[in-house]
């Protein structure tokens, strides 16, 4: 039997960066005169920037023009750039990389992050140099389209259906479900176990370290 490949999301899954994103959204919307509880941004993290701005605009009837939406997205991206170095690896990443290497399990990373941000995040998460990575540069559709994960599988030379997708957000679970891949949730992004299970997670772990200790549950 061939070993299934593991395809990881990056923000919130391998790097503890969700709160940097939330603060950046808070600043960006405030610059457009919109102040909402930070939670409203948090629960939409994991969508692309453009989708998040539209989702918030629709939910609160903000009637933002296209230009205003673009400006908020740009402001968030700038604010996030300034904070990215405050982000840390999630607990257990080193155990994850060691376990994958020891067992020869193929893995890749699929993120909607901008390529420069992704490069910094990969370093923070101690991602091994030769790891297959898909970013915005690959011009896939954004999650919850399964395309970013599908492109990662393609680069690994495996089928996404035979792979396992690991993510912190309901959007990751939705993506994997659409592609018929097994989805595994981690709690390091702040989404609850219940939300991840409702979105289709087969198992939910505290972090990728706990998952590495329980690979047997995934048939690895
Ligand atoms: Mg994430």
């Amino acid at each position: 039997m061939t070993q299934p490949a593991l395809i990881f999301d990056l923000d919130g899954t391998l790097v503890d960066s969700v709160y940097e994103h939330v603060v950046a959204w808070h600043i960006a919307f405030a610059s457009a005169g919109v102040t909402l509880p930070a939670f409203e941004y948090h629960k939409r993290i994991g969508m692309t920037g453009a989708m998040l701005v539209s989702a918030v605009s629709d939910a609160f009837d903000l009637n933002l023009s296209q230009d205003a939406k673009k400006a908020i997205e740009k402001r968030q991206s700038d604010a996030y750039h300034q904070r990215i170095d405050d982000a840390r690896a999630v607990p257990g990443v080193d155990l994850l990389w060691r376990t994958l290497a020891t067992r020869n399990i193929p893995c890749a990373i699929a993120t909607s992050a901008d390529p420069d941000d992704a490069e910094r995040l990969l370093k923070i998460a101690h991602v091994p140099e030769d790891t297959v990575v898909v970013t915005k540069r690959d011009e896939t559709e954004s999650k919850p389209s399964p395309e970013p994960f599908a492109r990662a599988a393609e680069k690994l030379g495996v089928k996404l259906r035979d792979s396992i997708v690991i993510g912190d957000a309901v959007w990751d679970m939705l993506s994997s479900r659409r592609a018929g891949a097994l989805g595994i949730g981690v709690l390091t992004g702040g989404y609850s176990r219940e939300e991840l299970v409702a979105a289709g997670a087969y198992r939910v772990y505290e972090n990728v370290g706990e998952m590495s200790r329980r690979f047997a549950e995934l048939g690895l």
Side-chain angles (χ1 to χ4, degrees):
M1 193 184 86
T2 49
Q3 190 78 270
L6 302 188
I7 305 177
F8 293 87
D9 163 60
L10 183 56
D11 274 288
T13 300
L14 298 172
V15 185
D16 183 11
S17 56
V18 168
Y19 289 87
E20 279 74 18
H21 273 295
V22 170
V23 169
W25 280 118
H26 209 271
I27 291 168
F29 274 96
S31 72
V34 179
T35 49
L36 293 169
F39 169 73
E40 297 294 347
Y41 307 121
H42 187 177
K43 68 183 182 188
R44 294 176 173 88
I45 295 288
M47 294 180 183
T48 55
M51 277 178 72
L52 189 146
V53 175
S54 289
V56 170
S57 177
D58 292 348
F60 295 94
D61 288 324
L62 300 179
N63 288 317
L64 297 170
S65 67
Q66 282 309 319
D67 284 349
K69 286 181 180 175
K70 283 224 165 68
I72 293 171
E73 208 188 322
K74 170 81 171 62
R75 184 84 177 79
Q76 195 274 346
S77 169
D78 293 344
Y80 180 65
H81 280 304
Q82 288 171 17
R83 281 164 184 77
I84 196 166
D85 291 323
D86 291 339
R88 295 286 171 264
V90 301
V93 279
D94 293 316
L95 175 64
L96 170 70
W97 306 130
R98 273 202 310 277
T99 313
L100 293 177
T102 311
R103 302 196 188 187
N104 243 327
I105 299 173
C107 82
I109 292 170
T111 172
S112 307
D114 150 313
D116 293 338
D117 288 347
E119 213 160 289
R120 289 159 82 183
L121 295 168
L122 293 171
K123 284 208 175 75
I124 292 170
H126 309 154
V127 176
E129 291 274 333
D130 51 353
T131 305
V132 166
V133 179
V134 169
T135 67
K136 228 182 204 170
R137 190 177 283 143
D138 293 84
E139 293 179 357
T140 60
E141 281 178 20
S142 300
K143 301 170 195 172
S145 158
E147 256 194 45
F149 293 118
R151 184 67 55 84
E154 192 186 305
K155 285 190 178 184
L156 283 173
V158 299
K159 288 203 180 88
L160 182 54
R161 294 193 56 87
D162 303 330
S163 307
I164 298 177
V165 165
I166 301 98
D168 66 297
V170 295
W171 321 109
D172 299 311
M173 299 305 106
L174 195 52
S175 293
S176 61
R177 211 169 178 178
R178 283 186 181 173
L182 202 62
I184 303 295
V186 285
L187 297 175
T188 38
Y191 280 94
S192 70
R193 190 176 294 275
E194 292 71 22
E195 286 171 301
L196 292 166
V197 169
Y202 169 69
R203 285 279 192 280
V204 177
Y205 298 108
E206 288 292 327
N207 53 51
V208 289
E210 191 205 358
M211 184 188 78
S212 311
R213 279 184 221 100
R214 295 179 177 232
F215 269 166
E217 292 178 0
L218 308 177
L220 293 167

